[in-house]
């Protein structure tokens, strides 16, 4: 731990660059505490505030542009890959698409503040066919505001307290502890989710056999409408229902037939 903290204080630009690039390309890291710590270091004269902002902004633009272009070319394959490395892998695609329904510009601008979906939003923007220039301008503006707010959150208090050398390492150490706890909690939640899921899971082969044998069944397609852009196929007779609507429509479903739900 001491060697890590020494590297943070001794090589702040390198740490900011590497952590920013790794976080934006999908590594399960938290850049937010690093930005706060960078602001604290800037208040103590350990690094230049403007240089740190530019480094963080460039890393965001590189990572987000990469996922945007892959989203345009690869569609849901990229989203699936992103969600495999996400803390919220079971819901990140659906959540990001729901956010897009509420407004493209607002979602792009605020994407860095949305836990679990900030990596996926650029890829969804590419999948949705948003123009490159429009994506770049809104995403860059939102990233710049996010970076400035977090760095100022570390800079302003420390500037008045004059304890930057002590506060910055503590902030970074605390961020590592938060990350470890978050990963542990998400891991346990996912294990329980999969345990419950496998109790009621049905394989595609079993569904095909049920259809061929003429068994009465209702198939609910839970995919988001944006999923049809990359893959318009659906199961025969499937009814398109959003996951949030299943409970409200439960009373309309038959009680004497198998109900099959599927998504991406």
């Amino acid at each position: 731990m001491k060697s890590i903290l020494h590297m943070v204080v001794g090589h702040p630009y390198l740490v900011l660059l590497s952590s920013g690039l790794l976080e934006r390309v999908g590594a399960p890291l938290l850049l937010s505490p690093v930005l706060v710590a960078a602001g604290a270091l800037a208040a103590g004269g350990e690094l230049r505030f403007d240089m740190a902002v530019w480094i963080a902004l460039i890393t965001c633009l590189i990572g987000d542009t990469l996922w945007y272009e892959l989203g345009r070319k690869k569609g849901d394959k990229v989203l699936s890959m992103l969600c495999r490395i996400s803390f919220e892998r079971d819901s990140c695609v659906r959540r990001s698409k729901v956010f897009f329904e509420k407004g493209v510009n607002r979602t792009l601008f605020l994407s860095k503040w949305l836990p679990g979906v900030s990596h996926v939003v650029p890829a969804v923007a590419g999948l949705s066919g948003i123009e490159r220039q429009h994506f770049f301008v809104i995403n860059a503006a939102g990233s710049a505001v996010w970076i400035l707010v977090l760095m100022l959150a570390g800079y302003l208090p420390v500037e008045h307290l004059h304890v930057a050398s002590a506060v910055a390492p503590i902030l970074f150490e605390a961020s590592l502890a938060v990350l470890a706890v978050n990963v542990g909690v998400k891991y346990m939640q996912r294990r329980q989710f999969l345990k419950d899921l496998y109790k009621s899971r049905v394989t595609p082969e079993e569904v095909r056999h049920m259809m061929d044998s003429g068994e009465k069944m209702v198939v609910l397609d839970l995919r988001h409408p944006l999923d049809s852009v990359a893959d318009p196929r659906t199961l025969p007779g499937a009814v398109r229902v959003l996951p949030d609507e299943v409970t409200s429509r439960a009373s309309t479903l038959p009680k004497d037939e198998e109900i099959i739900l599927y998504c991406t």
Side-chain angles (χ1 to χ4, degrees):
M1 178 68 72
K2 291 183 178 179
S3 62
I4 295 177
L5 296 178
H6 181 268
M7 182 177 66
V8 173
V9 179
H11 306 279
Y13 295 113
L14 177 61
V15 172
L16 187 60
L17 176 64
S18 58
S19 60
L21 286 175
L22 288 172
E23 198 264 353
R24 291 322 300 165
V25 298
L29 301 175
L30 295 175
L31 182 58
S32 302
V34 177
L35 292 174
V36 175
L41 290 176
E46 300 291 338
L47 80 166
R48 288 177 51 183
F49 188 92
D50 59 338
M51 185 68 70
V53 170
W54 279 111
I55 291 175
L57 181 59
I58 289 172
T59 61
C60 286
L61 295 181
I62 291 175
D64 292 344
T65 301
L66 170 66
W67 292 121
Y68 170 82
E69 293 295 338
L70 289 175
R72 286 178 65 96
K73 297 176 181 179
K74 301 296 184 179
D76 276 334
K77 292 181 179 179
V78 174
L79 299 183
S80 177
M81 178 176 65
L82 274 169
C83 282
R84 290 193 183 99
I85 56 179
S86 171
F87 286 138
E88 305 286 351
R89 60 183 292 182
D90 301 304
S91 62
C92 66
V93 169
R94 178 175 58 84
R95 290 177 60 203
S96 62
K97 291 175 179 177
V98 169
F99 281 125
F100 259 82
E101 286 182 343
K102 299 178 180 179
V104 172
N105 291 337
R106 183 175 68 172
T107 300
L108 288 176
F109 188 82
L110 300 176
S111 62
K112 299 298 185 299
W113 301 96
L114 305 176
V117 303
S118 62
H119 295 87
V120 186
V121 166
V124 175
L127 171 65
S128 303
I130 297 173
E131 294 183 358
R132 287 186 176 90
Q133 183 177 0
H134 183 85
F135 165 79
F136 184 85
V137 171
I138 302 298
N139 182 69
S143 299
V145 171
W146 177 70
I147 292 167
L148 284 171
V149 170
L150 290 178
M151 288 192 61
L152 287 173
Y155 182 91
L156 294 178
V158 172
E159 184 184 30
H160 292 87
L161 296 175
H162 306 292
V163 289
S165 60
V167 171
I170 292 175
L171 286 173
F172 190 78
E173 184 175 356
S175 72
L176 293 179
V178 171
L179 176 60
V181 172
N182 190 35
V183 171
V185 171
K186 296 298 183 184
Y187 175 75
M188 295 304 297
Q189 289 177 341
R190 177 162 180 77
R191 282 181 59 89
Q192 184 61 43
F193 170 78
L194 291 177
K195 182 179 179 180
D196 296 338
L197 178 65
Y198 283 129
K199 293 179 181 179
S200 58
R201 184 174 181 268
V202 58
T203 66
E205 291 77 15
E206 291 172 332
V207 175
R208 177 62 181 270
H209 176 74
M210 294 167 65
M211 289 182 170
D212 292 341
S213 62
E215 183 175 343
K216 290 185 177 181
M217 56 189 295
V218 176
V219 180
L220 300 183
D221 183 349
L222 304 183
R223 296 178 302 165
H224 191 277
L226 283 175
D227 293 322
S228 300
V229 175
D231 187 357
R233 296 175 299 173
T234 186
L235 294 182
V239 179
R240 181 66 62 87
V241 179
L242 292 177
D244 296 336
E245 300 174 349
V246 173
T247 302
S248 62
R249 298 183 59 173
S251 60
T252 64
L253 299 176
K255 303 297 189 296
D256 57 345
E257 298 181 14
E258 292 285 352
I259 300 177
I260 309 295
L261 305 98
Y262 81 98
C263 61
T264 53

